[in-house]
Amino acid sequence: MAASTDVTPIAALAKLAISDQSFSQVKENFESTLKLFEELTRVDTNGIEPLVSPGDRHQVLRVDTDETLVERAELMQNAPAQEENYFTVPRVID
Amino acid sequence: MKWEMVMGLEVHLQLATVSKIFSSSKTAFGAAPNEQTNPLDVALPGTLPVLNEAAVRQAIVFGLGVGATINKVSRFDRKNYFYPDLPKGYQISQFFAPIVSDGVFDIPLPDGSVFPVRILRAHLEEDAGKSVHDALPNQTAIDLNRAGTPLLEVVTEPDFRTAEQVVAYLKALHGLVTYLGISDGNMAEGSMRCDVNISLRPTDTVKLGTRTELKNLNSFKFIERAIQVEAERQQDLLEDGRTVTQETRLFDPELDETRSMRSKEVANDYRYFPDPDLLPVVIDDSVIDNIRSQLPELPTVKRERYQSQLELSAYDASLLTQDRATADYFESSLEHHNNPKALANWMLGDLAAAMNRDGLAIRDVVVTPAQLALLVNRIDDGTLSSKMAKAVFEGLWQEEGDVDPIIEARGLQQVSDTGELEAMVDELIANSPAQVAQYRAADPDKQKKLIGYFVGQAMKATKGQANPQVINEILRKKL
Amino acid sequence: MSDIDLRACSLHELRESLENKQISSVELTQFFVDRIKLLDPQLNSVITPTMDLALKQAKQADQRIAHGDDSALLGIPILHKDIFCTEGVKTTCASKMLADFVSPYDATVVSALAKSGAITLGKTNMDEFAMGSSNETSHFGAVKNPWDLSRVPGGSSGGSASAVAAGLAPCATGTDTGGSIRQPAALCGITGLKPSYGRVSRYGMIAFASSMDQAGPMAKSAADCAQLLSAMAGHDPLDSTSAKLAVPDYATEIERPVAGLRIGVPQEFFDKQLSPAVADAIHTALRQLEAMGATLVDVKLPSTPLGVSTYYVIAPAEASANLARYDGVRFGYRCEAPQNLEDLYVRSRTEGFGEEVKRRILVGTFTLSAASYDQYFMKAQQVRRMIANEYDEVLANVDVIAGPSAPNTAFPLNDASKSITDMYMEDVFTVGCNLAGLPAMSIPAGIVEGLPVGMQLIGRSFDEATVLRVGHQFQLQTDWHRQVSRIAEFAS
């Protein structure tokens, strides 16, 4: 099944808004990029293992010890909004 | 129509590590907001996850504990969604290649039978932070202390048919992970969280019905009730000819109902893909062998050993092995005095009653295993009657001191001095000629009953402190 | 001091001058600070100059030199691409999203270079979140090519390339996800090395596409790059994808002659996309290598044309997740007066990201979505392995692969005739190494119509030494790397 190339639900997933003025341009660019990918669908990749990361290396593990690298105040120094040591966002109604 | 419930469980266990799964922040419970965070937990630009060795080890321990396959190669994936307590905008989990798969966990049921639960998979993932909705006016407050706490998600096959089976499984799972020392299993603090997938189907059909997922089940009591309530709701729907909607539902214990979590049901596409920041986790056989060799005795093995070796009943064995602290207490007392049956009776009798009465857990009990062992020993050596022992136990519980000092202080020692007792018996015989004559004329069977009179009189004379066995012997000899 | 041309000195020469007290680090730093002040208004290569910090560090370096400290880069100024987190100094990634972001920690690359004694001159301009090949997507405006101010410097490390080419700094750091070090190095006539994936720590380097991002040095010569790489390379416990491998002594390795080396020349790098003039320059450079005793071998990398589409599936997919953290909650841009959480997310992201970044987030979100994962993302990962296997097979028979770094010389700014996908084609010769994780370097190899041409040298995995060696030996015999832009000639 070929995926729908409708850009609107994709923008919603990505939490991006597309303005009415830019919509046709965004749509055109989006579709032309997907067109570029069409050549891939024609490649025979039967039996080829996907490559996630280059090289044949594996995970290096960390010893379980605790360490504070940066103090809380500095970690939160860039927060656009904070109160009582919390980050804050508009009230979420669940 | 008759309906059958079909349930599968997803249990999130918080692993017992010092630091988080991908950062070196502390995992302790209850710190001030955002104090247990590092650049990674706040998802600062440029930060990278580095996997905690202890989390991997504990996942392997669990896998071995349920006889599952430890996958030589596992991977981490990103699960993408936006939520304020999910700092990176994705959760790192194991979607495509979990570390543990295909195990079987044998659950002891109260009737002594065993119910095998198939473990589909167990995978490592990170916890989200906490959204606090009532701390600040008009705002949701975000605390990232919990973000990145290591979780092991244990997923079963849909093997459950009754709420009792579910609860038995959860209790056994709790026992297992505390035995293995990989989680404290504390439901109230969220160290063990359970989601139940539940559907109904007509009895004798194979095809599964549409399921709902029950969330927010944080006590055994709620779980049992939530399942009943949800099953009734589904049954009503189905019998009305309506359909069950596949959705996530929340159990509200106050209203005693489940309700749809519509806010989380906005069709999400999690866009799972392998996390390029984390290379494959490769586990050598030598690592697995090493961990296997250090595994503690599993509850199922222990239970069988208690029955076969210590000759305890199935019921007692399963109670004593339900959690590690209880079993450890029992085994520790056993080291001081080798009378398993008596010790088991005391633990499941007076000790359990006292714990119940005062609302204490085994680890909070002041009576040490050594003290309990000595108490039983004092019964076995004739120092105490079982009635006296109960009084001594009460003294231990009230922290009056050690066993022997309490016996002395309360004047509870039995009189076993034969000289003293013989004199008393002689007097008794002299004063009861009629009874003596009756006894002597009776046949041996009757004599066994008649001797009770003399024992009773002797006990009365010594204010209950005489050792009844000694009295018996003397009486038989003299009569 | 007056008799040394500080713009032309190699890092080695600068270290000698510092050691011999011919010049102090403060003087050296002041020289480049003045050049940035004087010339950067025309180039726009630096987003945040750190002059006070630099002079303070230079003072400390002079004291260390006085005490006999001979750390490899002690007292030498460097510019950092603004993608590397620097404690206490703005790190913007050339985005409105991070325009005011001050990192509370240093990237490992930054701290490693500081440990070697390098002086931080400032943070360089770049394409926003490293997404671009022309440095026109920066929130802080386009960077100009010092060879021709009407042309692009390439991207995304365009600020670093432009600054080094204009003599605003002796060297700089860059990052390369699909060619972002090599292509601007080529277009600005400098030397830039993308190390093997895992050779240099990515910790503190703002992520674009995590399976391909690599930090690397940009300087005037291969020898300078070797010196910088020695300081940057090695395992970092904070980046579990960084390799636990020994780092060779590059300074010694590069001195070995190239005679006897086999150099593979892939025919696919010389197809119709390559401008004929660039092709001529590269052929001439290849004959030079042959004259030096190397053997040229025709090789085939048949999947080369698929590289761009493969890359433009994988990189945006990874980016779409990497950029999800920019949500207006913990740091970065937050929209004015958000009505609710959704509004906060959507407006903060829509207003905070530039067009190219949003374009790629959309594409990446799409290729990862359930309905297209197998068709696009999985497929691209399979083709990625095919491409990596082709490189491995070729490199089993040759020591390095050589070809052009980019299809053209620097192109005009605001070139309306170039579509989005035309722009992506700029990366056709560079993305293969990122997909395969191989080390690759661009070195100046000619001048066409007054604009520099870059030759690309690609090595085996973790064999930066041979790449640097071929580049250095070439530069011993040629002087393309000594050609400077008109602005660079401008004396302070």
Side-chain angles (χ1 to χ4, degrees):
Chain A
M1 187 194 74
S4 156
T5 57
D6 184 0
V7 73
T8 308
I10 298 299
L13 265 182
K15 302 288 181 207
L16 291 172
I18 305 170
S19 69
D20 292 344
Q21 307 93 283
S22 64
F23 186 81
S24 60
Q25 185 65 52
V26 169
K27 186 175 150 67
E28 190 190 314
N29 284 330
F30 182 70
E31 286 169 359
S32 71
T33 307
L34 299 191
K35 218 175 176 69
L36 176 71
F37 301 158
E38 273 173 18
E39 62 184 6
L40 291 179
T41 62
R42 292 189 291 268
V43 182
D44 178 9
T45 53
N46 230 330
I48 295 175
E49 187 68 19
L51 179 59
V52 175
S53 288
D56 194 20
R57 293 179 294 120
H58 54 80
Q59 185 64 29
V60 182
L61 303 176
R62 178 176 68 80
V63 175
D64 181 27
T65 50
D66 69 285
E67 185 187 358
T68 301
L69 300 172
V70 177
E71 293 302 323
R72 185 197 55 75
E74 287 173 71
L75 285 178
M76 296 183 76
Q77 72 190 10
N78 290 286
Q82 58 171 297
E83 212 173 313
E84 294 177 15
N85 297 350
Y86 290 107
F87 296 100
T88 62
V89 296
R91 170 77 60 87
V92 181
I93 306 128
D94 235 349
Chain B
M1 194 182 297
K2 281 213 156 218
W3 300 92
E4 181 182 52
M5 269 197 278
V6 179
M7 290 172 285
L9 264 65
E10 291 167 18
V11 175
H12 289 85
L13 295 164
Q14 180 178 327
L15 295 176
T17 57
V18 173
S19 63
K20 294 185 178 177
I21 185 166
F22 299 119
S23 89
S24 56
S25 307
K26 277 202 187 74
T27 53
F29 181 78
N34 292 303
E35 285 295 343
Q36 291 183 167
T37 53
N38 267 317
L40 181 86
D41 310 311
V42 181
L44 285 186
T47 51
L48 296 169
V50 184
L51 182 58
N52 185 339
E53 183 264 344
V56 173
R57 172 169 282 265
Q58 291 176 14
I60 296 171
V61 166
F62 176 82
L64 294 175
V66 295
T69 305
I70 310 300
N71 293 310
K72 299 284 158 51
V73 180
S74 63
R75 275 213 72 109
F76 285 92
D77 306 294
R78 294 182 181 179
K79 177 183 182 180
N80 298 282
Y81 65 96
F82 286 89
Y83 204 71
D85 58 24
L86 185 73
K88 295 186 296 296
Y90 57 84
Q91 180 197 28
I92 305 179
S93 180
Q94 296 190 304
F95 182 71
F96 295 111
I99 185 163
V100 170
S101 47
D102 301 325
V104 175
F105 185 27
D106 288 332
I107 312 304
L109 293 178
D111 66 3
S113 67
V114 165
F115 169 54
V117 175
R118 289 173 299 158
I119 305 293
L120 177 65
R121 55 187 277 157
H123 63 258
L124 287 165
E125 62 182 30
E126 58 178 346
D127 207 345
K130 246 175 25 195
S131 295
V132 186
H133 303 298
D134 53 7
L136 303 169
N138 302 320
Q139 293 176 86
T140 289
I142 310 299
D143 175 6
L144 298 176
N145 283 346
R146 203 182 62 187
T149 298
L151 300 178
L152 187 70
E153 181 175 343
V154 181
V155 183
T156 73
E157 297 280 4
D159 285 350
F160 302 92
R161 298 292 174 269
T162 67
E164 292 72 33
Q165 289 173 340
V166 170
V167 171
Y169 165 74
L170 290 170
K171 285 188 172 160
L173 186 64
H174 180 276
L176 177 71
V177 299
T178 50
Y179 258 92
L180 296 172
I182 60 172
S183 177
D184 65 17
N186 188 328
M187 280 188 135
E189 289 177 8
S191 304
M192 182 165 159
R193 281 170 277 173
C194 172
D195 302 338
V196 181
N197 287 303
I198 171 168
S199 66
L200 258 54
R201 65 181 172 194
T203 318
D204 302 329
T205 55
V206 179
K207 193 169 173 286
L208 292 171
T210 306
R211 65 187 156 85
T212 58
E213 186 181 8
L214 289 177
K215 277 193 186 292
N216 195 30
L217 307 171
N218 51 17
S219 78
F220 292 133
K221 206 176 83 193
F222 286 174
I223 289 165
E224 205 157 358
R225 185 64 198 152
I227 289 170
Q228 285 160 357
V229 167
E230 176 60 12
E232 281 165 21
R233 188 190 70 88
Q234 291 191 11
Q235 187 173 341
D236 287 349
L237 282 175
L238 295 169
E239 289 183 346
D240 272 9
R242 290 184 286 169
T243 53
V244 174
T245 311
Q246 186 170 337
E247 62 184 354
T248 302
R249 297 182 70 85
L250 204 66
F251 176 61
D252 186 331
E254 283 179 15
L255 298 175
D256 197 34
E257 63 177 27
T258 68
R259 63 185 150 83
S260 177
M261 290 175 74
R262 289 191 204 287
S263 60
K264 298 227 168 175
E265 285 307 314
V266 180
N268 212 340
D269 183 333
Y270 290 121
R271 289 157 286 141
Y272 288 97
F273 76 104
D275 190 336
D277 284 332
L278 291 156
L279 301 173
V281 179
V282 176
I283 300 164
D284 291 336
D285 284 333
S286 62
V287 171
I288 297 174
D289 291 344
N290 178 276
I291 293 173
R292 198 194 309 271
S293 71
Q294 294 171 27
L295 278 188
E297 185 181 31
L298 295 174
T300 43
V301 177
K302 216 183 252 299
R303 203 167 52 236
E304 273 162 36
R305 180 169 64 84
Y306 283 10
Q307 286 179 249
S308 62
Q309 223 173 308
L310 306 180
E311 299 179 335
L312 298 183
S313 71
Y315 182 70
D316 286 0
S318 85
L319 286 179
L320 287 172
T321 54
Q322 202 167 60
D323 64 83
R324 187 164 178 178
T326 305
D328 283 351
Y329 191 104
F330 174 65
E331 288 181 22
S332 166
S333 66
L334 209 51
E335 276 172 29
H336 291 91
H337 183 60
N338 190 19
N339 186 345
K341 275 187 184 165
L343 284 166
N345 285 338
W346 272 91
M347 280 189 67
L348 301 172
D350 292 71
L351 183 67
M355 282 163 56
N356 234 341
R357 185 187 65 211
D358 293 358
L360 292 181
I362 188 86
R363 61 175 66 79
D364 305 320
V365 164
V366 293
V367 181
T368 66
Q371 286 174 328
L372 189 72
L374 186 58
L375 183 67
V376 174
N377 201 349
R378 286 289 173 265
I379 300 169
D380 291 351
D381 70 9
T383 307
L384 293 175
S385 67
S386 45
K387 200 174 153 204
M388 289 169 173
K390 283 179 192 294
V392 175
F393 177 79
E394 209 41 48
L396 289 169
W397 189 263
Q398 304 301 337
E399 295 182 71
E400 286 170 16
D402 218 332
V403 176
D404 289 337
I406 292 174
I407 293 173
E408 200 160 309
R410 292 198 171 198
L412 289 168
Q413 191 146 13
Q414 290 189 123
V415 179
S416 303
D417 180 332
T418 26
E420 198 180 318
L421 290 174
E422 273 184 31
M424 194 257 308
V425 168
D426 287 342
E427 205 185 316
L428 182 61
I429 291 174
N431 292 340
S432 320
Q435 284 85 353
V436 172
Q438 193 187 355
Y439 178 87
R440 290 192 173 143
D443 58 51
D445 259 7
K446 204 112 187 235
Q447 278 186 342
K448 275 185 193 163
K449 279 185 188 166
L450 289 171
I451 202 164
Y453 165 79
F454 297 99
V455 175
Q457 291 299 311
M459 295 303 284
K460 212 171 174 181
T462 58
K463 297 192 181 80
Q465 299 206 352
N467 184 331
Q469 275 174 344
V470 178
I471 292 279
N472 252 304
E473 262 167 54
I474 298 170
L475 275 169
R476 229 168 311 186
K477 198 172 67 192
K478 304 237 171 197
L479 284 165
Chain C
M1 156 175 185
S2 55
D3 51 344
I4 317 172
D5 183 356
L6 295 175
R7 291 163 302 169
C9 284
S10 70
L11 298 186
H12 183 70
E13 288 162 348
L14 289 177
R15 273 297 300 141
E16 277 192 340
S17 307
L18 287 165
E19 203 130 315
N20 302 336
K21 316 281 189 315
Q22 286 171 278
I23 188 169
S24 71
S25 176
V26 168
E27 288 168 319
L28 182 63
T29 302
Q30 190 64 54
F31 173 81
F32 287 108
V33 163
D34 290 343
R35 281 187 69 83
I36 291 172
K37 277 188 190 159
L38 183 70
L39 300 172
D40 200 51
Q42 296 176 69
L43 296 169
N44 196 28
S45 69
V46 179
I47 292 176
T48 309
T50 55
M51 306 186 176
D52 295 342
L53 174 71
L55 290 168
K56 199 178 113 199
Q57 289 176 338
K59 226 172 262 171
Q60 289 164 354
D62 283 330
Q63 282 165 6
R64 281 169 66 182
I65 292 167
H67 285 95
D69 189 337
D70 61 350
S71 298
L73 298 168
L74 186 54
I76 293 181
I78 191 167
L79 282 165
H80 288 302
K81 184 176 181 179
D82 208 16
I83 200 170
F84 292 104
C85 287
T86 43
E87 188 178 341
V89 174
K90 273 187 198 174
T91 300
T92 71
C93 231
S95 180
K96 181 180 176 184
M97 186 59 88
L98 292 176
D100 298 312
F101 178 73
V102 177
S103 170
Y105 75 98
D106 273 334
T108 299
V109 161
V110 170
S111 56
L113 286 165
K115 208 172 142 217
S116 295
I119 310 296
T120 304
L121 273 177
K123 308 290 293 288
T124 60
N125 205 342
M126 53 185 281
D127 279 298
E128 184 183 2
F129 282 102
M131 297 180 187
S133 311
S134 66
N135 220 310
E136 292 169 290
T137 72
S138 168
H139 173 64
F140 300 96
V143 178
K144 316 284 164 46
N145 190 317
W147 293 77
D148 178 345
L149 296 177
S150 74
R151 289 175 186 272
V152 303
S156 65
S157 310
S160 292
S162 172
V164 171
L168 306 191
C171 57
T173 51
T175 64
D176 189 318
T177 305
S180 282
I181 285 176
R182 291 159 288 159
Q183 184 253 17
L187 270 50
C188 289
I190 65 164
T191 302
L193 170 72
K194 180 204 93 76
S196 310
Y197 182 78
R199 181 56 102 185
V200 177
S201 168
R202 294 187 294 117
Y203 186 74
M205 174 179 142
I206 297 179
F208 162 17
S210 311
S211 76
M212 292 183 277
D213 292 343
Q214 257 300 287
M218 303 177 80
K220 291 191 294 285
S221 68
D224 286 1
C225 284
Q227 201 168 335
L228 291 163
L229 182 63
S230 293
M232 297 166 77
H235 176 70
D236 177 6
L238 294 172
D239 173 6
S240 66
T241 64
S242 71
K244 267 191 165 161
L245 290 172
V247 179
D249 178 3
Y250 297 119
T252 309
E253 289 290 319
I254 62 173
E255 295 305 332
R256 295 162 60 200
V258 297
L261 286 186
R262 290 164 62 82
I263 297 178
V265 181
Q267 60 187 52
E268 295 80 4
F269 278 42
F270 294 86
D271 72 355
K272 61 182 188 316
Q273 291 187 67
L274 183 64
S275 96
V278 172
D280 285 348
I282 299 298
H283 282 304
T284 307
L286 289 171
R287 279 197 295 278
Q288 172 68 41
L289 286 170
E290 197 171 28
M292 290 159 60
T295 307
L296 300 183
V297 183
D298 283 332
V299 297
K300 284 199 174 73
L301 292 168
S303 296
T304 298
L306 294 171
V308 170
S309 47
T310 304
Y311 173 84
Y312 278 94
V313 170
I314 294 171
E318 293 183 9
S320 71
N322 284 334
L323 271 60
R325 68 188 60 199
Y326 306 104
D327 57 3
V329 178
R330 297 161 312 285
F331 47 79
Y333 178 79
R334 174 183 282 203
C335 66
E336 287 291 328
Q339 298 302 300
N340 51 44
L341 180 65
E342 184 71 8
D343 187 42
L344 165 67
Y345 281 153
V346 173
R347 278 202 291 131
S348 298
R349 289 169 59 79
T350 303
E351 294 165 18
F353 289 134
E355 293 310 313
E356 181 61 26
V357 171
K358 283 188 275 194
R359 197 145 46 226
R360 296 199 193 185
I361 291 175
L362 287 177
V363 168
T365 304
F366 173 77
T367 56
L368 288 178
S369 62
S372 38
Y373 187 88
D374 288 351
Q375 187 185 349
Y376 293 100
F377 188 71
M378 179 86 111
K379 191 82 176 178
Q381 285 188 319
Q382 289 175 311
V383 178
R384 181 178 189 177
R385 185 174 295 278
M386 288 170 57
I387 292 171
N389 287 349
E390 283 176 14
Y391 273 96
D392 283 350
E393 280 160 30
V394 167
L395 285 164
N397 294 311
V398 300
D399 298 286
V400 292
I401 294 168
S405 300
N408 300 290
T409 54
F411 47 91
L413 284 157
N414 307 315
D415 187 349
S417 72
K418 251 181 145 70
S419 74
I420 302 291
T421 45
D422 286 347
M423 193 69 100
Y424 294 170
M425 285 303 163
E426 269 298 302
D427 305 331
V428 63
F429 304 135
T430 46
V431 290
C433 300
N434 301 86
L435 291 166
L438 303 174
M441 181 166 70
S442 180
I443 57 172
I447 289 178
V448 170
E449 292 168 7
L451 294 169
V453 169
M455 174 164 69
Q456 186 176 204
L457 300 167
I458 301 165
R460 293 176 187 141
S461 192
F462 294 102
D463 189 14
E464 288 80 5
T466 303
V467 171
L468 287 163
R469 168 183 165 195
V470 174
H472 176 61
Q473 293 299 318
F474 180 81
Q475 289 176 339
L476 288 177
Q477 304 296 322
T478 59
D479 64 356
W480 297 116
H481 64 295
R482 294 188 197 284
Q483 307 292 313
V484 292
S485 63
R486 264 208 329 214
I487 282 193
E489 281 175 25
F490 194 95
S492 297

